[in-house]
Amino acid sequence: MSKISNDIMLKKKKKIQHYSAVFSLMVGVGFLSNVANASDNDLTYLEEMGKRLFFEKISLSRNMSCSTCHTADTGGTNGDSDTNLVQVAVTGSDGVMVGNLKPPTNKYAQFLNEVGDPEGLKLFDVACSGFAPAPCGGAFWNGRAEGDLIETVHNIDVFAGLNSKYESMYKKYLGPVADQAHASPFINPLEQAKDDKFKVCTQVRGTTWGRQLYQYAWGEHLYCSYRQVDEIFARFAVALSAWQMSSDNNRFDSKRDIALKNDYDGLFPFDDFTDQENEGHDLFYGQARCFFCHQSGNNNGVGKFERYTNDFYFNIGVPRNHKIPNDPAPDVGLFDTTSNSDHLGEHKVPTLRNVDKRPSPYFVKAYTHNGWFKSLEQIVHFYNTATVKDTCYTQST
Ligand code: HEC
Ligand code: HEC
């Protein structure tokens, strides 16, 4: 073998070793959360209402809840291994209709910090600074839950007729996560498929928790009148947002979080990490340049509330997934929200928190918007070898 090809072989070998360290950082529970649900006593009435709405089967056939597609033991994404392996998108409550996207996690989008202020995902903005002005923020793979839709587009005053204290307490929960819930899986035929807002309201009113928590949280009885149903439905969305933003849903308790807390200087390498996990960190923030997109704070991975996403949009060139039922055309992503053809196929950078969380080692998770990748090895191999479309991402060797 010539010297040159020998060098290439060596480099390749080194690269593969390096990437298996990145992989091990993620698998080595670096991004894995493992504590069971906290007591409901820690929740406010509004958060508790949101939690009940999230887990209650409010759907056409009363067989599906938000948690069907966002389960805790997979870190907030789909809870059925066979679905992840093949069709990726979850069949709706009617047992027939299927969307074309893998459920992203509902965790670590927005959360409340120590002083109770919202952090994380911002309102959708078509020209965020950071890169040559580019879109960032908003919920969904394409950002269409922009964060001001309930009030501006739908023109709903959530606080109409209520004591003004509710507005000052709850205004922080309006935003992309509330817009997502209002969008709404409850009545989307591809998801929970309940006929309309009124039917959602009457199902909730039919429960003791629904009537009680609504009254405690909003200071008035839950009456499902057609006149008020828009406000009530938006208040359900605010409650869902409140719980999804609570520490019950965003634990920040992964092995990495604990290692950070325990570390004597709070800097890498972490005492509690294996050498391979620490090396994975160095690659993630160095040669492999993952931090370029998967970083929310500029802190070399030691921020307490790091979410591993910058909330921008990119097209990393994920192959088309023909196994999604009806073989839909590739998802246009951000283009759907901006109608700008430069944004075709761009998808929101997902958080990497919980990315390896699964109920058993045999449980298959699907990765990226169309679930093409079935393991972290596959996606790291892809980054290692593919020519990535976005020009801002140049692979280093
Ligand atoms: C049938 C499966 C399904 C159900 C049921 C479902 N979701 Fe989702 N969820 C998805 C999919 C798929 C997406 C991505 C859709 C998109 O990007 O267009 C998503 C996106 C989200 C997001 C956006 C995350 C982000 O970072 O952008 C949140 C939050 C969320 N869902 C919360 C909920 C809530 C709350 C409910 C119940 C009211 C719910 N989901 C019910 C499948 C589901
Ligand atoms: C140019 C920005 C960018 C860089 C750099 C980047 N990623 Fe990503 N990553 C994305 C985007 C965008 C997606 C979602 C793509 C899609 O769904 O089409 C993604 C998806 C992922 C996912 C799937 C997560 C999920 O829940 O589906 C993993 C894991 C991941 N990236 C890890 C990495 C690692 C490891 C590196 C470094 C080797 C890296 N990424 C570098 C933008 C980037």
Side-chain angles (χ1 to χ4, degrees):
M1 200 183 287
S2 75
K3 181 164 179 327
I4 295 176
S5 55
N6 218 347
D7 276 358
I8 292 173
M9 287 303 288
L10 274 175
K11 259 195 194 153
K12 269 210 170 136
K13 203 165 159 215
K14 215 166 164 197
K15 201 158 138 186
I16 288 165
Q17 279 167 354
H18 278 170
Y19 279 90
S20 75
V22 175
F23 160 68
S24 119
L25 172 72
M26 292 188 287
V27 173
V29 279
F31 299 103
L32 193 138
S33 166
N34 55 10
V35 177
N37 276 352
S39 150
D40 285 354
N41 299 334
D42 299 337
L43 303 179
T44 65
Y45 291 127
L46 187 72
E47 289 167 348
E48 197 176 337
M49 169 121 208
K51 187 171 185 176
R52 295 302 295 245
L53 289 168
F54 194 86
F55 288 97
E56 187 80 1
K57 292 184 170 147
I58 302 173
S59 58
L60 180 70
S61 317
R62 302 212 176 188
N63 59 352
M64 180 174 257
S65 65
C66 308
S67 70
T68 307
C69 302
H70 303 284
T71 62
D73 60 5
T74 59
T77 178
N78 178 35
D80 182 62
S81 184
D82 293 342
T83 303
N84 293 341
L85 185 61
V86 185
Q87 78 174 45
V88 171
V90 182
T91 309
S93 174
D94 69 353
V96 181
M97 293 185 73
V98 191
N100 61 349
L101 293 166
K102 180 206 82 160
T105 176
N106 72 311
K107 295 172 186 286
Y108 301 106
Q110 286 184 292
F111 62 94
L112 299 183
N113 65 17
E114 286 111 327
V115 294
D117 289 336
E119 282 195 30
L121 201 61
K122 302 271 187 312
L123 292 189
F124 183 82
D125 180 349
V126 81
C128 299
S129 57
F131 306 100
C136 79
F140 285 129
W141 283 108
N142 62 13
R144 73 186 179 285
E146 299 191 10
D148 58 357
L149 303 187
I150 293 180
E151 300 147 286
T152 56
V153 175
H154 300 289
N155 205 13
I156 298 169
D157 180 357
V158 177
F159 306 104
L162 297 177
N163 183 318
S164 62
K165 76 176 181 191
Y166 293 105
E167 179 159 4
S168 46
M169 284 193 303
Y170 297 162
K171 203 168 172 45
K172 63 185 172 197
Y173 298 123
L174 285 165
V177 175
D179 275 0
Q180 186 286 329
H182 187 256
S184 153
F186 286 146
I187 52 179
N188 183 338
L190 296 170
E191 299 177 298
Q192 286 152 281
K194 203 84 183 159
D195 308 72
D196 56 29
K197 295 178 182 180
F198 190 77
K199 288 248 171 75
V200 173
C201 186
T202 48
Q203 186 174 335
V204 175
R205 191 177 137 68
T207 65
T208 310
W209 64 263
R211 288 190 302 275
Q212 286 186 345
L213 288 172
Y214 186 87
Q215 184 171 3
Y216 295 154
W218 295 97
E220 61 177 39
H221 289 297
L222 177 57
Y223 287 124
C224 302
S225 68
Y226 277 106
R227 193 176 55 78
Q228 242 213 322
V229 79
D230 283 343
E231 279 94 31
I232 293 170
F233 196 75
R235 288 175 195 162
F236 289 174
V238 169
L240 279 160
S241 170
W243 176 68
Q244 290 185 97
M245 287 167 72
S246 75
S247 57
D248 193 31
N249 188 45
N250 308 283
R251 300 290 175 88
F252 293 99
D253 64 354
S254 67
K255 179 178 176 187
R256 172 267 182 199
D257 298 324
I258 294 161
L260 172 66
K261 228 181 276 166
N262 290 345
D263 201 70
Y264 88 104
D265 64 356
L267 297 172
F268 275 90
F270 284 164
D271 304 335
D272 290 0
F273 268 16
T274 62
D275 288 348
Q276 207 182 20
E277 286 164 353
N278 278 317
E279 193 193 343
H281 164 269
D282 294 348
L283 285 165
F284 192 95
Y285 289 90
Q287 202 181 0
R289 300 188 68 204
C290 313
F291 75 100
F292 187 81
C293 302
H294 294 286
Q295 168 176 263
S296 52
N298 191 11
N299 52 37
N300 196 32
V302 295
K304 185 168 174 195
F305 294 130
E306 180 55 54
R307 292 164 50 245
Y308 303 100
T309 170
N310 58 10
D311 300 317
F312 277 78
Y313 294 80
F314 294 95
N315 181 348
I316 60 167
V318 174
R320 178 170 178 174
N321 186 352
H322 292 283
K323 293 211 170 139
I324 299 175
N326 309 319
D327 193 9
D331 186 69
V332 296
L334 183 60
F335 173 78
D336 233 354
T337 308
T338 63
S339 304
N340 177 343
S341 55
D342 290 349
H343 300 152
L344 267 171
E346 294 192 354
H347 290 90
K348 189 153 55 97
V349 177
T351 176
L352 298 185
R353 280 195 169 267
N354 288 324
V355 80
D356 193 44
K357 189 168 165 64
R358 61 189 83 223
S360 82
Y362 310 104
F363 184 96
V364 176
K365 288 187 85 169
Y367 297 111
T368 69
H369 72 277
N370 66 6
W372 169 259
F373 300 100
K374 307 300 178 193
S375 71
L376 290 175
E377 286 101 327
Q378 283 175 9
I379 190 162
V380 171
H381 177 72
F382 169 80
Y383 278 118
N384 198 9
T385 51
T387 308
V388 172
K389 187 171 169 272
D390 262 301
T391 46
C392 57
Y393 180 62
T394 47
Q395 283 210 306
S396 45
T397 46

